[in-house]
Amino acid sequence: MEHLDVLTLEQKARLLSGRGLWHTQAAPEAGVPEIVLADGPHGVRLQEDENATDIMGINASRPATCFPTAAAVGSSWDVEVAARLGAAVGREARGQGVAVLLGPGVNIKRSPLCGRNFEYYSEDPLLSGMLGAAQVEGLRAEGVLASVKHFAANNQETDRAVISADVDERTLREIYLPAFEHIVTRARPATVMTSFNKVNGVHTAEHHWLLTEVLRAEWGFDGVVVSDWGGVHDRVAALLAGLDLQMPGDPAADAAVADAVRRGELDEAVVDRSARRVIDLALAATEGAAEVEGAPEVDADAQHALARLLAADCAVLLKNDGGVLPLTGDTATIAVIGEFATAPRFQGGGSSHVNPTRVDEPLAEIRAAAAAVGVEVTHAAGFDDGAVAVAGAAGVAVVFAGLAERYESEAYDRRTMLLPSDQVALIRAVAAVARCTVVVLANGGAVSLEGWHDDVDAVLEGWLLGQAGGGAIADLLFGVVNPSGRLAETLPLRLEDNPSHLNFPGEFGHVRYGEGVLVGYRYYQSLDVPVRYPFGHGLSYTEFRVTDLAVTMDGDDAATVRAAVTNVGLRAGKHVVQVYVETAAGPVRRPRRELRAFRKVALEPGCSAEVTFRLDRRAFAYYNLDRADWAVAAGEYAVQIGANAADIVAEQRVILPGDLVPLRLTRDSPVGEWLAHPVAGPALVETLVALMPEEQRAEAAAGIEMLHLVSALPLGVILDGGPLDVPPEVVADLVALTDRAPVRV
Ligand code: BGC
């Protein structure tokens, strides 16, 4: 007998929303336990107070290790980092009795202003999807289930509960859905969380096309769709659309579901289906945790050490003129400047806010590293003349700058990318007197480097590195670890250059995704817009060469890419091999190039490795609205290795024959489309010539040529008004021919 059979309608309906904020409902009658859900994604946020009513993390939560935020993990370009982070968070989650961790967040960074960008990985869907899948698998390895969020097109915080993201389907398919699709199809997460916003006018929690047609029918998702906290507006509509679990608990909504069944407005089978999924989730979570051996021993020191290791792989060395970094024993004195050196910014505000087990102080970590090489460290908080004095007296000034917590958070967006003006003034004042100036940044969303970038020698972008970020920064500054992060989003010269700029954050409840698929580097590269640093940029203390690129086709629409990567410098380091595909093939505007594969490779100095990538059909395809499917267009494609999205170091061109598909034409299709059709075009010409009187045939070529002048008109209009008497069955035969004869497109 299945669990459902022993439950009444009311008991089943009760399963469809939580018990309070952080639990599912138990059904003891059927042996179904309750389970605990907690935020995520970069640490466990389990609220101690069962009765707490805030969902934004203002109440104290159990101490947990705060790992690097997703913005930082995105910059690692390393699935190992995401997987290890997932497992480490999973271990703590299991230790705290958490079954489902609410993350990862894989929304695309459409605008640098989104207040939640620190919780998301990248402006690129492949990078987001691969890192997200690794994090989900890491969690699962520790018996903890994931909730991939926020599905979908949740790319701003302004009006997040009511805004409609108005996005065309090709853009959804190519930009905003693929990270979810990748994770759902490859890592099979147990739950997917809907977002607060609407997509094309319908709240995602009530969006049948998203939740049922795409997520379940196309991608094969068989887990639980859970609402964002407070994101359901019409419980019955949500259930019908495919949303199983409403959070937090809502007894009135449960009653409404049962009433709707009793009134005959809702089929009980719909309730059963979702209740069964919630039951399966509770059982799977309990079994999953039980399968992982023993109670987890969480060693806070080891977790902190891991957080430090991972953080060091995330920071991006943007600039390093004259090799000012790494710092060495030759520097007599290092002046450390800025309040973030003693009160670091290392995570974002809102529901992901973790109560850290400890926090590294960057200044103390720098002092320890400096002492090891006999270097003196001085410090000034900044904002007064003390900073200029210590900077002037030192060999190197290291300025800690960035955004304080109030500047960015869940629930609101920023208005500007600029650093606060007092910080810019401080950096410039220090740079004016210091022999060398290094700026270390802490910010969740991208900040502008303009107005001070050219005054300083080095810039290390740390994003929000988690509680051990201070130690990681010291490791990177002193070369204990070689920087290996790469930008997961473009740093534009001006906010106005961002493609979403004229359509962010929307008006009158709608935000129009007018830039379409040209998001982030897809836009900057397509239009050759100069940027401060391109997507994929990041420096190292060593140098890498990528050579021997070889692309071989596997059939018509897949390829194997091989290349050799060599560390030609003097230090061990990690390089990210980035594979892009550039094309203009097809009837749609393609972004100039798109990231299609990547891998981070660790190499000792002088060593080489061969990297191999498989590019499947999707790497060459665009979403064809007419066919409601992915399509590979005939034409030329350049498979490229980029140091970043703007700097291609090797490429090989391949010609793809394109998909062989029926291209159906009718009497209403334009003459131009008829003439361009590789099979029906010549057949049409032949038919028309055959119908001409003998004596006119000599002039046939000129007559046909005339047809090009009316290429935009429907064929039927031309034939009906034309000099030739074309019998309807002849046209019907031509139409049938387009059905029969597939062509390459
Ligand atoms: C956030 C989610 C979070 C949930 C529970 C919501 O405000 O959007 O990301 O998981 O709260 O805290």
Side-chain angles (χ1 to χ4, degrees):
M1 186 161 75
E2 81 162 315
H3 294 85
L4 275 183
D5 296 344
V6 297
L7 298 178
T8 63
L9 172 62
E10 283 68 22
Q11 287 168 335
K12 287 186 286 192
R14 255 165 39 102
L15 287 171
L16 304 184
S17 82
R19 179 176 73 71
L21 275 171
W22 307 117
H23 295 85
T24 60
Q25 290 276 5
E29 311 80 359
V32 178
E34 68 171 28
I35 57 171
V36 179
L37 302 90
D39 283 301
H42 51 264
V44 185
R45 183 179 71 92
L46 183 66
Q47 287 189 186
E48 296 278 29
D49 181 358
E50 280 274 316
N51 302 313
T53 50
D54 74 291
I55 60 170
M56 294 293 287
I58 299 151
N59 273 300
S61 54
R62 280 260 290 271
T65 312
C66 179
F67 287 92
T69 61
V73 175
S75 290
S76 76
W77 285 63
D78 191 348
V79 289
E80 274 295 304
V81 165
R84 292 181 76 185
L85 185 148
V89 172
R91 198 169 177 74
E92 289 189 30
R94 189 159 57 91
Q96 297 194 14
V98 172
V100 177
L101 192 95
L102 304 175
V106 299
N107 294 98
I108 293 295
K109 299 185 198 216
R110 174 174 179 250
S111 163
L113 301 183
C114 173
R116 257 184 130 165
N117 272 357
F118 73 91
E119 279 187 75
Y120 303 140
Y121 297 116
S122 175
E123 69 187 21
D124 181 81
L126 178 75
L127 185 53
S128 303
M130 287 184 62
L131 293 172
Q135 191 162 341
V136 169
E137 277 157 6
L139 284 163
R140 186 184 297 115
E142 287 291 339
V144 172
L145 305 175
S147 194
V148 181
K149 65 189 187 184
H150 308 89
F151 190 60
N154 178 192
N155 310 100
Q156 66 185 58
E157 292 298 283
T158 307
D159 294 334
R160 66 174 175 168
V162 292
I163 195 87
S164 172
D166 294 346
V167 203
D168 66 84
E169 189 179 343
R170 177 177 164 223
T171 300
L172 279 172
R173 297 282 191 174
E174 293 190 19
I175 303 291
Y176 296 100
L177 298 184
F180 291 99
E181 180 183 7
H182 182 96
I183 298 168
V184 165
T185 55
R186 314 281 174 110
R188 305 186 67 79
T191 82
V192 167
M193 187 194 296
T194 55
S195 53
F196 284 123
N197 55 288
K198 300 172 188 165
V199 171
N200 296 325
V202 180
H203 271 110
T204 59
E206 283 130 41
H207 211 297
H208 189 270
W209 180 78
L210 272 177
L211 305 186
T212 296
E213 295 174 43
V214 175
L215 179 65
R216 291 197 190 280
E218 290 185 28
W219 302 346
F221 179 70
D222 58 3
V224 166
V225 176
V226 55
S227 74
D228 199 345
W229 270 228
V232 173
H233 301 263
D234 177 336
R235 185 61 186 104
V236 174
L239 200 57
L240 285 167
L243 182 127
D244 305 301
L245 177 63
Q246 172 176 351
M247 291 301 291
D250 185 348
D254 302 342
V257 167
D259 281 351
V261 172
R262 272 191 297 267
R263 282 199 305 271
E265 291 163 12
L266 177 66
D267 189 343
E268 189 165 350
V270 177
V271 175
D272 287 356
R273 191 176 59 193
S274 286
R276 192 177 293 117
R277 289 183 189 137
V278 174
I279 291 172
D280 288 349
L281 175 73
L283 298 176
T286 328
E287 281 158 19
E291 264 171 30
V292 181
E293 287 288 299
E297 275 297 320
V298 178
D299 174 344
D301 292 338
Q303 294 286 88
H304 186 80
L306 176 64
R308 177 172 180 153
L309 213 70
L310 299 179
D313 272 351
C314 296
V316 188
L317 182 61
L318 294 173
K319 175 177 183 176
N320 192 18
D321 282 0
V324 54
L325 293 177
L327 302 172
T328 64
D330 299 342
T331 317
T333 311
I334 298 169
V336 175
I337 293 162
E339 283 191 354
F340 287 151
T342 49
R345 172 95 200 289
F346 59 93
Q347 66 171 324
S351 61
S352 69
H353 198 97
V354 172
N355 183 6
T357 57
R358 78 185 68 164
V359 179
D360 279 358
E361 185 199 82
L363 177 62
E365 298 297 333
I366 289 174
R367 282 195 201 284
V373 287
V375 172
E376 194 196 336
V377 175
T378 55
H379 172 245
F383 310 113
D384 59 29
D385 291 347
V388 173
V390 296
V396 176
V398 180
V399 184
F400 282 79
L403 298 177
E405 198 158 322
R406 67 180 180 283
Y407 285 92
E408 51 179 356
S409 167
E410 174 176 346
Y412 53 86
D413 295 320
R414 283 184 298 158
R415 297 269 173 90
T416 168
M417 286 183 72
L418 299 178
L419 276 183
S421 55
D422 52 356
Q423 292 196 33
V424 173
L426 173 69
I427 294 171
R428 298 195 62 179
V430 167
V433 298
R435 247 165 285 171
C436 291
T437 305
V438 176
V439 173
V440 178
L441 290 171
N443 43 279
V447 292
S448 168
L449 314 189
E450 304 319 303
W452 56 269
H453 171 273
D454 294 350
D455 299 344
V456 306
D457 302 280
V459 183
L460 181 64
E461 173 58 271
W463 303 107
L464 301 178
L465 283 178
Q467 66 179 49
I473 295 284
D475 291 342
L476 292 163
L477 291 177
F478 285 88
V480 178
V481 179
N482 194 345
S484 65
R486 301 286 186 270
L487 286 177
E489 62 189 294
T490 311
L491 298 187
L493 286 170
R494 307 179 314 152
L495 171 64
E496 292 83 347
D497 292 338
N498 180 269
S500 74
H501 186 66
L502 292 176
N503 288 303
F504 185 94
E507 300 156 346
F508 299 111
H510 290 265
V511 53
R512 206 167 66 81
Y513 285 33
E515 68 284 4
V517 298
L518 297 179
V519 173
Y521 70 89
R522 287 169 165 77
Y523 167 83
Y524 298 113
Q525 291 309 309
S526 297
L527 275 77
D528 274 329
V529 177
V531 299
R532 171 51 70 190
Y533 287 115
F535 174 81
H537 167 76
L539 304 175
S540 164
Y541 297 149
T542 186
E543 244 189 89
F544 296 92
R545 291 268 148 75
V546 179
T547 55
D548 304 323
L549 171 64
V551 182
T552 47
M553 292 306 298
D554 308 328
D556 280 353
D557 56 14
T560 299
V561 181
R562 285 193 183 78
V565 51
T566 308
N567 181 345
V568 295
L570 300 174
R571 286 169 179 264
K574 293 180 185 171
H575 185 61
V576 180
V577 183
Q578 304 172 28
V579 180
Y580 296 87
V581 173
E582 175 168 343
T583 189
V588 294
R589 183 182 289 284
R590 310 288 293 260
R592 178 166 177 192
R593 69 175 60 96
E594 299 184 87
L595 182 73
R596 292 312 193 197
F598 66 90
R599 190 161 314 130
K600 199 167 198 176
V601 185
L603 286 171
E604 293 297 318
C607 291
S608 292
E610 191 189 68
V611 280
T612 305
F613 303 94
R614 164 128 181 118
L615 298 185
D616 62 12
R617 171 180 164 74
R618 274 286 284 275
F620 301 101
Y622 69 95
Y623 192 78
N624 183 309
L625 288 175
D626 275 353
R627 286 162 57 190
D629 202 355
W630 295 92
V632 174
E636 190 176 63
Y637 295 74
V639 178
Q640 305 173 324
I641 305 284
N644 54 59
D647 180 8
I648 300 307
V649 297
E651 78 168 30
Q652 189 179 321
R653 286 169 189 272
V654 291
I655 306 284
L656 269 56
D659 290 347
L660 197 57
V661 291
L663 191 62
R664 183 166 211 273
L665 299 176
T666 66
R667 277 178 71 86
D668 291 335
S669 304
V671 170
E673 284 185 21
W674 274 98
L675 292 176
H677 192 289
V679 179
L684 171 67
V685 170
E686 201 179 304
T687 305
L688 295 180
V689 172
L691 289 170
M692 285 177 181
E694 269 303 330
E695 61 279 14
Q696 284 178 18
R697 291 217 183 127
E699 304 297 316
I704 298 299
E705 194 52 37
M706 293 286 284
L707 281 180
H708 289 282
L709 296 179
V710 292
S711 63
L713 294 179
L715 179 69
V717 170
I718 299 302
L719 296 185
D720 292 346
L724 299 178
D725 185 16
V726 185
E729 55 278 14
V730 170
V731 180
D733 280 352
L734 287 167
V735 169
L737 181 64
T738 67
D739 271 339
R740 268 201 323 276
V743 295
R744 300 278 183 190
V745 290

